[in-house]
Amino acid sequence: MLSWENTPSLIPMQRERAWVEIDLSALAHNVRQICQLLAPGADLLAVVKADAYGHGAVTVARTALKHGATWLGVATIPEGIELREAGVNAPILLLGATNTPEQVRAIARWNLQPTLCTPKQALIVSETLSADSPHTVLPVHLKIDTGMSRLGAPWQDAAEFAQLVQNLPQLKIASLYSHFATADSLDQTVMRLQQARFKGAIAQLTAAEIATPMLHIANSAATLTDPSLHYDLVRVGLALYGLPPAPHLANKVDLQPVLQVKTRVTQVKTIQAGTGVSYGYQFIAEREMAIATIAIGYADGIPRNLSNRMSVLIRGRRIPQIGAITMDQMMLDVSQIPDLQEGEVVTVLGRDGEESISAEDWAAMLGTISWEILCGFKHRLPRLTVSQTQEARAGVIQL
Ligand SMILES: *Cc1c(COP(=O)(O)O)cnc(C)c1O
């Protein structure tokens, strides 16, 4: 597929059909807010996996680093390479596992830092390095499973695992880390049990006279919950993007949503009572009414399950969507705006005047989480960066 960024003839067309707006001033604000909250000595790792939760990894990484983050976290090697190719020099932690010599070679070549979870992974890294790049010393991050049951060595084996890695040539233990399963829950029981296991793993290392490496366990929710969870580094994703990980954490810092989704009206028409709208006639007009078609659909990442349930914003008003959402388009009941014109801007997610629609609103309707909503916007939508002024946020300036 054509890339918007790399195809000059497409650039003038970026706001023609449908697009994602990324407010870099909101992102910078969120980064600074989070940094102010950190325990003394703790640093911020900006989690920019999945194209920075759909916001655009390179722009987000640069902005986060400029405003206080010192580390970046990605899930995959290609995500790390994308940042390096763009000239990003900060240390990059690969959150996914490393299992093959091919992966090790790419990690060494691109100066990424792998997560190790098993002795086998550690041996593959060590053997590949000694065969291919005998002069490289690679910082590695040991992951301990304290209760997420995803990646990581069992917490009981922390010292044994660290000892094994320490004895391998060319590997340098840069950090010991773990990940919470329920940090966004009001009930802290599981999180505190995981914290206790993490402390136990650290104590094991001390007892085995292994120098304590950098320590980290907090995601967004844990970072907002308690500074005693910050250790040397916090790994923050969702909060960077301006969304609280849970309602009870919404007031810990002032977060501003970074992403908005916009499209345009492509046609306005009047339909008669009894007229069906869209595939399957899920909506039938009960009266003569004005409807509009807009140029965004499920192939852009608008969940089809929101058909006949979602609203959009036009001229600061909340406008109901009607009928099945189609691949590239959907219809609206625009009875409230009889003089609506083709080409007018429609806010699908975001703020218009006093009204706003958030990823959390969609997540609640769909029975999912805001993380999945953010990651769902497809690359058919160009990502446009804006640095909105207060006036623009208030709707005085039309961007
Ligand atoms: C994705 C991820 C994070 C960030 O989680 P948020 O809840 O978005 O802050 C932190 N650590 C690891 C290991 C992750 O995979």
Side-chain angles (χ1 to χ4, degrees):
M1 201 165 104
L2 284 173
S3 128
W4 284 96
E5 293 77 22
N6 301 329
T7 313
S9 62
L10 288 179
I11 289 177
M13 288 169 52
Q14 286 181 332
R15 285 174 202 272
E16 295 285 300
R17 175 186 171 261
W19 64 96
V20 169
E21 269 177 23
I22 302 298
D23 182 349
L24 291 182
S25 55
L27 175 65
H29 168 87
N30 298 335
V31 171
R32 289 192 300 262
Q33 288 281 308
I34 294 160
C35 286
Q36 278 174 20
L37 194 82
L38 296 185
D43 285 325
L44 172 62
L45 177 149
V47 178
V48 296
K49 64 192 178 190
D51 200 26
Y53 295 33
H55 293 63
V58 172
T59 341
V60 166
R62 285 192 185 125
T63 306
L65 292 167
K66 188 168 159 198
H67 292 275
T70 50
W71 280 76
L72 299 170
V74 298
T76 70
I77 292 170
E79 288 173 355
I81 295 176
E82 183 189 12
L83 295 169
R84 289 287 181 248
E85 290 230 280
V88 174
N89 293 319
I92 299 178
L93 169 59
L94 197 50
L95 298 165
T98 295
N99 304 93
T100 70
E102 245 345 289
Q103 291 173 321
V104 177
R105 284 191 276 271
I107 286 167
R109 156 86 178 76
W110 293 97
N111 187 23
L112 308 176
Q113 302 192 17
T115 291
L116 301 182
C117 311
T118 66
K120 187 173 177 191
Q121 293 170 10
L123 290 169
I124 286 172
V125 172
S126 173
E127 284 161 13
T128 309
L129 288 179
S130 62
D132 291 29
S133 24
H135 304 297
T136 303
V137 174
L138 191 67
V140 298
H141 299 259
L142 307 190
K143 185 140 195 210
I144 303 300
D145 181 5
T146 56
M148 173 72 177
S149 305
R150 194 170 63 176
L151 288 178
W155 80 92
Q156 301 95 328
D157 303 348
E160 193 186 329
F161 183 42
Q163 196 83 66
L164 176 136
V165 175
Q166 197 174 41
N167 291 335
L168 292 172
Q170 297 184 256
L171 269 55
K172 183 180 180 315
I173 301 174
S175 85
L176 181 78
Y177 82 101
S178 192
H179 189 51
F180 286 127
T182 67
D184 52 357
S185 163
L186 255 180
D187 180 349
Q188 296 191 2
T189 313
V190 172
M191 183 173 75
R192 295 304 178 187
L193 175 64
Q194 285 195 253
Q195 184 184 17
R197 289 170 174 170
F198 189 56
K199 284 182 181 166
I202 299 162
Q204 280 180 37
L205 261 63
T206 311
E209 295 183 347
I210 300 168
T212 311
M214 196 169 66
L215 305 169
H216 48 112
I217 192 167
N219 55 4
S220 293
T223 302
L224 297 179
T225 301
D226 177 5
S228 87
L229 302 169
H230 294 176
Y231 293 92
D232 300 309
L233 192 68
V234 297
R235 304 186 308 269
V236 176
L238 193 73
L240 294 180
Y241 308 107
L243 300 182
H248 72 278
L249 298 171
N251 298 320
K252 296 282 184 167
V253 277
D254 175 51
L255 297 175
Q256 299 174 357
V258 172
L259 174 150
Q260 300 194 84
V261 180
K262 297 189 178 177
T263 182
R264 290 189 190 272
V265 173
T266 48
Q267 192 177 350
V268 183
K269 66 178 77 174
T270 302
I271 59 173
Q272 302 307 311
T275 306
V277 174
S278 194
Y279 295 125
Y281 280 3
Q282 290 179 31
F283 181 92
I284 297 187
E286 286 175 357
R287 52 181 163 79
E288 181 183 292
M289 64 187 291
I291 69 168
T293 303
I294 58 174
I296 195 166
Y298 64 76
D300 299 293
I302 315 298
R304 189 174 174 279
N305 266 332
L306 292 176
S307 294
N308 256 323
R309 300 161 70 194
M310 65 181 282
S311 301
V312 301
L313 306 175
I314 304 178
R315 300 190 194 169
R317 290 163 181 249
R318 198 170 273 268
I319 305 295
Q321 189 276 326
I322 56 171
I325 294 170
T326 73
M327 192 178 285
D328 320 299
Q329 311 176 69
M330 64 179 84
M331 276 64 91
L332 310 174
D333 170 359
V334 293
S335 311
Q336 297 174 55
I337 314 181
D339 62 337
L340 185 68
Q341 302 299 312
E342 283 178 20
E344 282 196 48
V345 172
V346 179
T347 301
V348 177
L349 199 78
R351 170 169 292 281
D352 182 359
E354 295 299 299
E355 292 281 354
S356 72
I357 300 170
S358 69
E360 292 145 293
D361 295 336
W362 282 14
M365 284 194 273
L366 293 164
T368 184
I369 55 174
S370 44
W371 289 257
E372 189 186 26
I373 302 295
L374 293 181
C375 295
F377 297 111
K378 304 289 161 60
H379 283 89
R380 187 159 80 164
L381 300 173
R383 267 56 176 178
L384 304 183
T385 54
V386 295
S387 256
Q388 290 194 9
T389 59
Q390 287 307 102
E391 294 75 35
R393 278 213 192 87
V396 179
I397 298 173
Q398 185 73 38
L399 280 157

